[in-house]
Amino acid sequence: MREITLSQAVNEALAEEMRRDETVFIIGEDVAEAGTPFKVLSGLVEEFGTGRVVDTPIAEPGFMGLAVGAAMTGTRPVVDLMFGDFIYLVMDQLCNQAAKTHYMSGGKLNVPLVLRTNLGATRRSAAQHSQSLHALVAHIPGLKVALPSSAYEAKGLMKTAIRDNNPVVIFEDKLMYNDKAPVPEEEFLIPFGEANIKREGSDITLIGTSSMVQVCEAAADILEKEGISAEVIDPRTIVPLDEEALLKSAKKTSRVIVVDEGHQSYGITGEIAGRINEKAFYHLDAPVLRMGAMDVPVPFTPALEDLTVPTPETVAENARRLMSGEMIHAA
Amino acid sequence: MREITLSQAVNEALAEEMRRDETVFIIGEDVAEAGTPFKVLSGLVEEFGTGRVVDTPIAEPGFMGLAVGAAMTGTRPVVDLMFGDFIYLVMDQLCNQAAKTHYMSGGKLNVPLVLRTNLGATRRSAAQHSQSLHALVAHIPGLKVALPSSAYEAKGLMKTAIRDNNPVVIFEDKLMYNDKAPVPEEEFLIPFGEANIKREGSDITLIGTSSMVQVCEAAADILEKEGISAEVIDPRTIVPLDEEALLKSAKKTSRVIVVDEGHQSYGITGEIAGRINEKAFYHLDAPVLRMGAMDVPVPFTPALEDLTVPTPETVAENARRLMSGEMIHAA
Amino acid sequence: MSPAKKQSNAEDYMRMYRQMVRIRAFEDNANQLYLSAKMPGLTHMYSGEEAVAVGICEALRTTDKITSTHRGHGHCVAKGAEFKEMFCELLGKEEGYCRGKGGSMHIADQSNGNLGANAIVGGSMGIATGSAFTAKMLGKDDVTVCFFGDGATAQGLMYEVMNMAALWNLPVIYACENNGYSEYTRTDEIAAGSITGRAEAFGIEAFQVDGQDVLAVNDLAQKLAERCRKGEGPFFMELMTYRYHGHHVGDINREYYRSKEEERDWKENRDPIIRFRGWLVEQGIASEDEIEAMNATIKDEAAAAVEYALQAKYPDASEVDMHVFTDVKHALA
Amino acid sequence: MSPAKKQSNAEDYMRMYRQMVRIRAFEDNANQLYLSAKMPGLTHMYSGEEAVAVGICEALRTTDKITSTHRGHGHCVAKGAEFKEMFCELLGKEEGYCRGKGGSMHIADQSNGNLGANAIVGGSMGIATGSAFTAKMLGKDDVTVCFFGDGATAQGLMYEVMNMAALWNLPVIYACENNGYSEYTRTDEIAAGSITGRAEAFGIEAFQVDGQDVLAVNDLAQKLAERCRKGEGPFFMELMTYRYHGHHVGDINREYYRSKEEERDWKENRDPIIRFRGWLVEQGIASEDEIEAMNATIKDEAAAAVEYALQAKYPDASEVDMHVFTDVKHALA
Ligand SMILES: Cc1ncc(C[n+]2csc(CCOP(=O)(O)OP(=O)(O)O)c2C)c(N)n1
Ligand SMILES: Cc1ncc(C[n+]2csc(CCOP(=O)(O)OP(=O)(O)O)c2C)c(N)n1
Ligand SMILES: [Mg+2]
Ligand SMILES: [Mg+2]
């Protein structure tokens, strides 16, 4: 199969859906001629014009609100938020308006919009350009949340998001824009709420989101050499969450680590671990371990930044702890 | 001991700290003559004047940002956010600025501010005036988060918050403003990070936050009649979290329910349950159960709203499930 | 005005009058429901401001859109809503416009182009601008009116969306209902400079108009709506008006922030309904009797709707997790 | 200007010149560090805009405050910072102003009143206003200057805080550096109406000034700072200027959004350093030789600071959870 970058995958998804449905448009800062700072949208304005690839002033709350109103009246906006860290600026429009409109109106008004943004540290971009804030929106009923882990998912989930009649937030990992993966030429969609078993294994389950799927796979490679067979699962969407698939794997292996790049405390690992603990408790040989980003603002200096996120080595190390039964003594 | 309302307790804490330290001031909408819509601040403007009890225009991001700058330069603002639901509007100033300034400046700049706001549903105020959004800020490193559960805590935690040199967010339950509790006349502070054992018990631990402490106590009453002895613990602050006290109780009783009024999914119950599962796993006879508000926008109609939050009955019901061992078969 | 024009417009005038009286009747009943503890929660009365909603909405078509505020009953009635579904909504009943899930602060009526009240002050400014964006993008000639209060002009969102509306010539009218107060604070204490000047600084034509004069409001709204349809938007209107009740129904003792004399002056000397009624009679468009008859009918209709709503049923418990997502029947199933 | 005034001001002029050259030297080195892959991340060059930062900061005292932007090196130097600590910060070293934890986009120097650069466009507008609030509340006569770009005028926060600053007469100067672009977009595509007009609509006196003329900038800044100290603030300045480099150091191919001719015109005909240098010589305040000597010294100082920073050590791993909270040594211990 041909390989394309995550960037190209997103671009293709948008182009295909914009061709298919003329109510789809993109709105955000420097999305048109510049094609975003990450160049993800290059070429789209040439095909669809500035009427559908709309450069905005630097006014995130404003264009987010505008998109909500546009979505309520018959279009399908894809809002481009340049950095995931700016999601704080759009929280009111996203969480008080977009997320609640369908419910508050008793089902009469719909808000079919996509907010595409990114996450991920270790780019030396410091505390305000490195956050992974998907936990914030996952907590708010009414929003769906997708976390693509490769070009393949990026394309399939984006197309599904655009066709969804609810507000959807997609976080791309900004360090993965140039990563290539096999992506079919033919059209495909990835349904929400279906986890993907990236790799089968029998001793331990590693649940990873976004770029942490790669990290888990690399950890599984390390562990394999040591005779530990790790299953790697990617939930792909955290709302809806494919609880069934996660539970099935947990019951099979009896040991689970959840790995995510958001801050660990009060983040998404707690929810996933909490559900597995609750619903597979009597199958577990050890507690579900959680690994998120360190609970510190992301430091600029490479000397510190690299310490703040899970790596294949730290995941493997924790897997060994779980396997060894060391936890029993620790607890 | 004399009894005062939660409202009076907050008022006293503010007045005492404003007398003690003339750099403390209050800023927010209708805080002066009106004393807030909940009348919590009545009388303060008369004592401290409009220079220190400052009415603002309806511009939450603006006065939140102003408070950050004021705090950085030598004052101690107490920001009054009329409804916790408006926290979305101040997220950027709170989480990108206040929370990170000390870290980003390598320890050179401080932001000693308090954001006081509220939480709690069942007031028939519908989806945009009924949310309990403490999970959002608990996730962001650099913010401390307090959840007073009675007039006593409201006073002691507020005084500690004002003297803290870091940004602190306090959520008061708006249904509890008129609830009375014994509060000493003498000055006292409640240190952050110290859970309070509201009631000792031996069969099961009920961890409750804010108004859910009352709910847990009422559940404990019900259970007592059935011969089940429930321990009720109030963490009082969720950042920092008194993990030790929670673990100790969990290890003692072997069964835990965590009850909170924020939405259940990706909320704070996952974190607390996750830590207990991880660190007391081999002491638990059953999985830690989590009870949050239903994952739906808060409905206006009383017929539905009351279904969305934990009650003494539903907590007791879950406690019985845990005690009966029914969970084993469910899992 | 020429007699000919006056005659041809008589029907419009009577409809405007009728709609103003309907709003007043709705609010009087809503207030009673609160005072008699029959309504859950609080609500914000529009009484006194009727000429604003009616003057503007009568210049709009059903397909035109509006966004509304926490003080939203007036806009809802003016844009065409029915009493029955409105009272049901206020009482949290299944037959309400939002099945009881929204209540007073979120009442919406998409069949008549009302995109909804909003409990976030300023929260609908983006939505209105986006609705206008849709019209432009899809080549429709719909106009959107964004209602908001003087207090909402302090929200930064307004300047963000006015900038975009101006840059892209969107068919939106920002209608600032300046009733002199935001909650318990006078407008001059929270608004520096000039409100219309702020819109003008973004290159938006702005007008101040007497919000108690329904004809003046309607006249301007008609002109601006037509110009919007021709691509000449956006526009800004500041409507000088007054709310008779407290900020909300529970705000009874108001003397610490505004005087009884001030309230009396507005009610006695500038009431939009009394003024317009006087004009209608004076111009020979309606007789006192005709007007009294109309008033009485409306009163009865309102009372009947209240009665209906009080008896109507609440939504079933199973609805609690419906409509979290469209296309998903029960979110928690 | 009278010869007497000119003489007494000679020292000030030379300091202004020196500071402008220091900024340029800092940026040239920072750019080289990026191009030679010795600097982590990206950074935004201030070259071309030196007269703005210097003209304003030379009108301020050490105790006066500024807030800065993503394009913040110029403000930092102009407010009194040292090369060594600045380069250390850019390279993530322990001796940096923020112990390497902030980097270019968060460089702060509280000892000189610089409350910090900010990576959120418009993010510091509240902070600056709050700093002015402190001065007023505590009865100090400090002035705060809020630097931001033309692009930041689209952020609603600006209007929210200008409103409060105007209502409360806060001693803050909003200094809009209009360099014609926000990222890859021309200002006229993202700003409707008039930028100074927007401030004026809030009752704030606003001025447009040639940002390439350090004397004009300094003159105005001095007047406004004095008036702020007397309680006559706030004020607004729009400084017309230009950035020579791309939006950030990696923005090399710029022709799709601006022409080489335009860039050449600004550099050759309106460079603030060349212009001021010519004036200094013409007025007999400095000779060409003196200026060349000063330039050379600054160049050497910058090179030495870079060398130092390259050798300096990184913070220890144990620092990673320090400074999350003050009063807590290790947040995760
Ligand atoms: C974002 C936000 N802040 C504060 C409030 C509380 N609040 C509700 S109405 C109101 C006053 C609004 O004043 P104005 O816009 O003039 O409208 P009016 O009530 O006068 O019609 C306030 C402060 C709110 N609902 N939303
Ligand atoms: C809230 C926010 N939105 C977007 C960005 C991305 N961004 C960084 S600089 C910039 C352009 C800023 O333009 P301007 O304010 O004119 O400053 P200049 O770069 O021209 O100095 C943008 C869009 C950001 N950092 N913060
Ligand atoms: Mg008002
Ligand atoms: Mg610029």
Side-chain angles (χ1 to χ4, degrees):
Chain A
M1 205 186 293
R2 62 154 189 176
E3 299 213 329
I4 59 174
T5 64
L6 193 147
S7 204
Q8 286 169 312
V10 173
N11 191 299
E12 279 189 9
L14 289 165
E16 288 175 18
E17 294 305 306
M18 289 176 82
R19 274 175 217 132
R20 185 178 163 274
D21 179 349
E22 61 184 19
T23 68
V24 178
F25 70 99
I26 300 172
I27 184 162
E29 293 154 17
D30 277 320
V31 292
E33 288 77 12
T36 79
F38 297 101
K39 304 292 168 205
V40 175
L41 308 185
S42 298
L44 295 182
V45 73
E46 284 76 7
E47 177 171 356
F48 300 102
T50 53
R52 290 179 68 197
V53 185
V54 184
D55 269 350
T56 64
I58 309 173
E60 288 83 2
F63 63 76
M64 183 72 223
L66 186 150
V68 177
M72 282 164 70
T73 49
T75 60
R76 292 183 173 269
V78 178
V79 177
D80 187 289
L81 191 69
M82 201 183 286
F83 282 87
D85 311 67
F86 308 159
I87 207 160
Y88 295 127
L89 287 160
V90 306
M91 285 295 275
D92 177 61
Q93 292 298 318
L94 184 64
C95 302
N96 269 334
Q97 312 297 343
K100 297 180 172 41
T101 292
H102 187 64
Y103 192 85
M104 291 191 307
S105 70
K108 290 209 185 130
L109 293 163
N110 289 343
V111 187
L113 69 77
V114 178
L115 175 59
R116 65 170 286 271
T117 188
N118 51 40
L119 55 72
T122 69
R123 233 179 126 254
R124 320 311 178 205
S125 305
Q128 293 173 343
H129 278 62
S130 307
Q131 295 166 85
S132 300
L133 297 174
H134 44 296
L136 301 185
V137 291
H139 183 49
I140 308 305
L143 300 175
K144 297 188 179 179
V145 184
L147 301 174
S149 60
S150 83
Y152 176 75
E153 277 81 16
K155 182 164 183 186
L157 293 171
M158 178 60 77
K159 286 173 66 87
T160 304
I162 294 173
R163 296 189 197 180
D164 200 295
N165 290 319
N166 299 286
V168 178
V169 188
I170 298 200
F171 291 87
E172 296 156 9
D173 185 298
K174 51 188 165 319
L175 272 104
M176 284 171 56
Y177 280 128
N178 294 321
D179 288 5
K180 287 194 171 187
V183 177
E185 308 257 9
E186 316 75 66
E187 164 152 281
F188 69 100
L189 287 93
I190 299 178
F192 284 1
E194 281 194 16
N196 181 28
I197 303 188
K198 280 295 267 191
R199 174 176 181 140
E200 302 228 11
S202 53
D203 295 328
I204 186 167
T205 300
L206 306 177
I207 301 173
T209 58
S210 185
S211 60
M212 292 299 115
V213 176
Q214 282 183 5
V215 166
C216 289
E217 288 187 275
D221 286 339
I222 298 175
L223 293 167
E224 189 167 46
K225 296 199 188 94
E226 302 169 15
I228 299 174
S229 161
E231 178 144 307
V232 177
I233 307 193
D234 170 12
R236 299 204 285 209
T237 54
I238 53 172
V239 181
L241 181 70
D242 186 353
E243 204 179 272
E244 208 178 312
L246 304 183
L247 290 175
K248 202 171 146 202
S249 179
K251 290 180 184 175
K252 179 170 89 175
T253 65
S254 309
R255 289 179 178 83
V256 182
I257 305 182
V258 189
V259 191
D260 177 67
E261 207 179 331
H263 295 300
Q264 178 165 316
S265 286
Y266 302 102
I268 75 151
T269 61
E271 180 66 26
I272 295 176
R275 294 202 197 183
I276 294 173
N277 273 315
E278 185 170 322
K279 296 180 183 165
F281 186 74
Y282 299 99
H283 299 264
L284 295 177
D285 287 342
V288 178
L289 282 194
R290 304 181 297 128
M291 299 178 68
M294 217 177 246
D295 291 325
V296 305
V298 181
F300 163 70
T301 183
L304 301 180
E305 188 180 26
D306 290 340
L307 304 174
T308 64
V309 289
T311 61
E313 291 70 32
T314 56
V315 173
E317 180 53 34
N318 269 325
R320 278 180 219 114
R321 280 177 65 211
L322 273 194
M323 295 304 299
S324 73
E326 170 201 324
M327 301 292 301
I328 303 183
H329 311 296
Chain B
M1 203 184 297
R2 64 157 186 171
E3 299 212 331
I4 58 174
T5 64
L6 194 146
S7 205
Q8 287 170 311
V10 173
N11 191 300
E12 279 189 8
L14 290 165
E16 287 175 19
E17 294 306 304
M18 287 176 82
R19 276 174 216 134
R20 183 178 164 274
D21 179 348
E22 60 184 20
T23 68
V24 177
F25 70 98
I26 300 172
I27 185 162
E29 291 154 17
D30 277 319
V31 292
E33 289 77 11
T36 80
F38 297 101
K39 303 292 168 203
V40 176
L41 308 184
S42 296
L44 295 182
V45 73
E46 284 75 8
E47 178 172 355
F48 300 101
T50 53
R52 290 178 67 197
V53 184
V54 185
D55 269 351
T56 64
I58 309 172
E60 289 83 2
F63 64 76
M64 182 74 222
L66 187 150
V68 177
M72 282 165 70
T73 50
T75 60
R76 292 182 174 271
V78 178
V79 177
D80 188 288
L81 192 69
M82 199 184 287
F83 282 87
D85 311 67
F86 308 160
I87 208 160
Y88 296 127
L89 285 161
V90 305
M91 286 294 276
D92 178 61
Q93 291 297 318
L94 183 65
C95 302
N96 269 334
Q97 312 296 343
K100 296 179 173 46
T101 292
H102 187 64
Y103 192 86
M104 291 192 306
S105 70
K108 290 207 186 133
L109 294 163
N110 289 345
V111 187
L113 70 77
V114 178
L115 175 60
R116 67 169 284 271
T117 188
N118 51 38
L119 56 70
T122 67
R123 235 180 125 255
R124 320 310 178 205
S125 306
Q128 293 174 343
H129 278 61
S130 307
Q131 296 167 83
S132 300
L133 297 175
H134 44 295
L136 301 186
V137 290
H139 183 49
I140 307 305
L143 300 175
K144 297 188 179 179
V145 184
L147 301 174
S149 60
S150 83
Y152 176 75
E153 277 81 17
K155 182 164 182 186
L157 293 171
M158 177 61 77
K159 285 173 67 84
T160 304
I162 293 173
R163 296 189 198 181
D164 200 295
N165 290 317
N166 299 285
V168 178
V169 189
I170 299 200
F171 292 86
E172 296 155 9
D173 186 298
K174 51 188 163 323
L175 272 104
M176 285 172 56
Y177 280 128
N178 294 322
D179 287 5
K180 288 193 172 188
V183 176
E185 308 255 11
E186 316 77 64
E187 164 152 281
F188 69 100
L189 287 92
I190 299 177
F192 284 1
E194 281 192 15
N196 181 31
I197 303 189
K198 281 294 264 189
R199 173 178 184 139
E200 303 228 10
S202 54
D203 295 329
I204 185 167
T205 299
L206 306 178
I207 301 174
T209 59
S210 185
S211 60
M212 293 298 115
V213 175
Q214 284 183 3
V215 167
C216 289
E217 287 187 275
D221 286 340
I222 298 175
L223 294 167
E224 190 168 46
K225 297 199 189 93
E226 303 170 14
I228 299 175
S229 160
E231 178 145 306
V232 177
I233 308 194
D234 170 11
R236 297 202 289 208
T237 54
I238 52 172
V239 182
L241 182 70
D242 188 354
E243 203 179 274
E244 209 177 311
L246 305 183
L247 290 175
K248 203 171 143 199
S249 179
K251 289 179 185 176
K252 180 171 87 174
T253 65
S254 309
R255 290 178 176 82
V256 182
I257 306 182
V258 189
V259 190
D260 177 68
E261 207 180 330
H263 294 300
Q264 178 164 317
S265 285
Y266 303 102
I268 75 151
T269 60
E271 180 65 25
I272 295 177
R275 293 201 197 184
I276 295 172
N277 273 316
E278 185 170 323
K279 296 181 182 165
F281 187 74
Y282 298 99
H283 299 263
L284 296 176
D285 286 342
V288 178
L289 282 195
R290 306 182 296 128
M291 298 178 68
M294 218 179 245
D295 292 324
V296 306
V298 181
F300 164 70
T301 182
L304 301 180
E305 186 179 26
D306 291 339
L307 304 174
T308 65
V309 290
T311 62
E313 292 69 33
T314 56
V315 173
E317 179 53 34
N318 269 324
R320 279 181 219 114
R321 280 177 66 210
L322 273 192
M323 294 305 298
S324 73
E326 170 201 326
M327 300 295 300
I328 304 184
H329 312 295
Chain C
M1 191 180 308
S2 73
K5 173 129 192 261
K6 194 170 41 182
Q7 266 322 318
S8 75
N9 286 343
E11 212 177 298
D12 297 345
Y13 297 143
M14 289 311 289
R15 204 174 47 238
M16 281 196 237
Y17 178 78
R18 182 161 186 276
Q19 288 289 65
M20 291 204 288
V21 176
R22 288 184 73 230
I23 294 173
R24 186 73 56 92
F26 186 89
E27 294 300 48
D28 287 344
N29 279 282
N31 194 35
Q32 272 312 314
L33 283 168
Y34 169 79
L35 294 174
S36 58
K38 288 183 185 143
M39 194 189 66
L42 290 172
T43 184
H44 308 80
M45 301 280 92
Y46 197 72
S47 311
E49 309 190 14
E50 294 86 350
V52 174
V54 172
I56 290 176
C57 291
E58 284 294 314
L60 302 178
R61 307 175 184 161
T62 303
T63 47
D64 290 332
K65 308 289 185 285
I66 63 165
T67 63
S68 170
T69 68
H70 57 287
R71 199 175 301 291
H73 308 159
H75 312 134
C76 195
V77 171
K79 196 69 178 59
E82 299 295 339
F83 280 168
K84 206 173 79 175
E85 286 84 349
M86 283 186 70
F87 280 118
C88 280
E89 191 57 37
L90 259 65
L91 297 179
K93 302 300 179 77
E94 188 189 291
E95 285 180 75
Y97 274 114
C98 310
R99 307 186 68 77
K101 287 177 158 173
S104 163
M105 285 209 290
H106 301 290
I107 199 160
D109 169 18
Q110 113 284 18
S111 63
N112 284 301
N114 178 357
L115 300 178
N118 209 304
I120 301 300
V121 167
S124 74
M125 290 166 167
I127 295 171
T129 310
S131 166
F133 185 93
T134 291
K136 181 161 186 192
M137 179 173 156
L138 302 186
K140 300 194 218 165
D141 70 351
D142 293 348
V143 172
T144 302
V145 174
C146 177
F147 288 102
F148 56 95
D150 48 289
T153 62
Q155 290 284 14
L157 185 64
M158 174 165 131
Y159 305 91
E160 299 190 1
V161 297
M162 285 202 309
N163 188 30
M164 287 185 266
L167 286 166
W168 305 333
N169 278 113
L170 300 183
V172 55
I173 300 172
Y174 299 102
C176 176
E177 305 180 302
N178 188 342
N179 60 11
Y181 294 87
S182 64
E183 284 197 347
Y184 319 108
T185 305
R186 279 205 327 279
T187 308
D188 60 3
E189 295 179 85
I190 51 94
S194 149
I195 288 179
T196 49
R198 299 185 195 172
E200 283 162 351
F202 287 86
I204 297 176
E205 266 183 74
F207 306 82
Q208 203 183 58
V209 59
D210 178 356
Q212 307 308 88
D213 180 348
V214 71
L215 288 180
V217 173
N218 184 252
D219 230 52
L220 180 59
Q222 286 200 14
K223 286 194 191 111
L224 300 184
E226 281 325 303
R227 289 181 60 192
C228 272
R229 293 189 214 287
K230 284 191 278 177
E232 295 174 26
F235 297 101
F236 191 99
M237 296 169 79
E238 182 182 7
L239 302 119
M240 310 313 286
T241 184
Y242 200 75
R243 61 165 157 79
Y244 289 171
H245 293 260
H247 167 58
H248 56 66
V249 283
D251 171 26
I252 309 284
N253 298 315
R254 300 187 283 274
E255 279 183 276
Y256 74 94
Y257 73 89
R258 72 182 201 189
S259 69
K260 289 226 162 102
E261 295 72 61
E262 180 185 296
E263 295 189 359
R264 196 174 319 114
D265 178 45
W266 280 87
K267 286 189 200 172
E268 291 180 1
N269 304 319
R270 307 168 74 167
D271 183 75
I273 299 180
I274 298 178
R275 272 170 77 171
F276 194 47
R277 172 184 171 143
W279 184 86
L280 290 172
V281 173
E282 192 188 291
Q283 298 288 317
I285 297 168
S287 68
E288 287 284 355
D289 286 352
E290 283 165 338
I291 284 179
E292 283 300 331
M294 184 184 273
N295 290 356
T297 313
I298 291 170
K299 214 170 160 179
D300 292 347
E301 282 167 5
V306 167
E307 214 32 59
Y308 184 93
L310 284 168
Q311 307 304 329
K313 75 182 193 47
Y314 286 107
D316 188 76
S318 69
E319 278 226 21
V320 70
D321 67 344
M322 282 170 65
H323 308 128
V324 180
F325 296 109
T326 181
D327 308 335
V328 176
K329 190 144 174 72
H330 289 286
L332 304 177
Chain D
M1 191 181 310
S2 73
K5 172 130 193 258
K6 195 167 49 186
Q7 265 322 317
S8 77
N9 286 343
E11 214 177 294
D12 296 347
Y13 296 143
M14 289 310 289
R15 204 174 48 241
M16 282 197 237
Y17 178 78
R18 182 163 184 274
Q19 288 291 63
M20 290 205 289
V21 175
R22 286 184 74 231
I23 294 172
R24 185 73 56 93
F26 186 89
E27 295 300 48
D28 287 344
N29 279 281
N31 194 33
Q32 271 312 314
L33 283 168
Y34 170 78
L35 294 174
S36 58
K38 287 182 183 142
M39 195 189 66
L42 289 172
T43 185
H44 308 80
M45 302 280 92
Y46 197 72
S47 312
E49 309 190 15
E50 293 87 350
V52 174
V54 172
I56 289 176
C57 290
E58 283 296 314
L60 301 179
R61 305 175 185 161
T62 304
T63 46
D64 289 333
K65 308 289 185 285
I66 64 165
T67 62
S68 170
T69 66
H70 59 285
R71 197 176 301 289
H73 307 159
H75 311 133
C76 196
V77 170
K79 197 68 177 63
E82 299 295 337
F83 279 169
K84 208 172 78 177
E85 286 83 350
M86 284 186 69
F87 280 119
C88 279
E89 191 58 38
L90 260 65
L91 297 179
K93 303 301 178 78
E94 187 189 291
E95 285 180 75
Y97 274 112
C98 309
R99 306 185 69 78
K101 286 177 158 172
S104 163
M105 284 209 291
H106 302 290
I107 199 158
D109 169 17
Q110 112 283 20
S111 62
N112 285 300
N114 177 357
L115 300 177
N118 209 306
I120 300 299
V121 168
S124 74
M125 290 165 167
I127 295 172
T129 310
S131 167
F133 185 92
T134 291
K136 181 160 187 194
M137 178 173 157
L138 302 185
K140 299 195 219 166
D141 69 350
D142 294 347
V143 172
T144 303
V145 175
C146 177
F147 288 103
F148 56 94
D150 47 289
T153 62
Q155 290 283 13
L157 185 63
M158 174 164 132
Y159 305 91
E160 299 190 0
V161 297
M162 286 200 311
N163 188 30
M164 287 185 266
L167 287 165
W168 305 334
N169 280 112
L170 299 183
V172 55
I173 300 172
Y174 299 100
C176 176
E177 305 180 302
N178 188 341
N179 60 11
Y181 295 86
S182 65
E183 283 195 347
Y184 319 108
T185 304
R186 278 204 329 276
T187 308
D188 60 3
E189 294 179 86
I190 52 93
S194 148
I195 287 179
T196 49
R198 299 186 194 172
E200 283 161 352
F202 286 86
I204 297 176
E205 268 183 71
F207 305 83
Q208 202 184 58
V209 56
D210 178 356
Q212 307 309 87
D213 179 349
V214 72
L215 289 180
V217 174
N218 184 253
D219 230 51
L220 180 61
Q222 286 200 14
K223 286 193 192 109
L224 300 184
E226 281 326 302
R227 290 182 61 192
C228 272
R229 291 188 216 287
K230 285 192 278 176
E232 296 175 25
F235 296 101
F236 191 99
M237 296 170 78
E238 183 183 8
L239 302 119
M240 310 311 286
T241 185
Y242 201 76
R243 64 164 155 79
Y244 289 172
H245 293 259
H247 168 59
H248 56 64
V249 284
D251 172 26
I252 309 285
N253 299 316
R254 300 186 283 275
E255 278 182 280
Y256 75 93
Y257 71 88
R258 71 183 201 188
S259 70
K260 289 226 162 102
E261 294 73 60
E262 180 184 296
E263 294 190 0
R264 199 175 316 116
D265 177 46
W266 280 86
K267 286 188 199 172
E268 291 178 1
N269 305 319
R270 307 169 73 166
D271 183 75
I273 300 182
I274 298 177
R275 271 170 77 171
F276 194 46
R277 172 185 174 142
W279 184 85
L280 290 171
V281 173
E282 192 187 290
Q283 299 286 319
I285 295 167
S287 68
E288 288 283 356
D289 286 353
E290 284 166 336
I291 283 179
E292 283 300 332
M294 185 184 274
N295 290 356
T297 312
I298 291 169
K299 212 169 161 179
D300 292 348
E301 282 168 5
V306 167
E307 211 34 57
Y308 183 93
L310 284 168
Q311 307 303 328
K313 76 183 193 42
Y314 285 108
D316 188 76
S318 69
E319 280 226 21
V320 71
D321 67 344
M322 284 169 65
H323 308 127
V324 179
F325 296 109
T326 182
D327 309 334
V328 177
K329 192 147 172 75
H330 289 286
L332 304 177

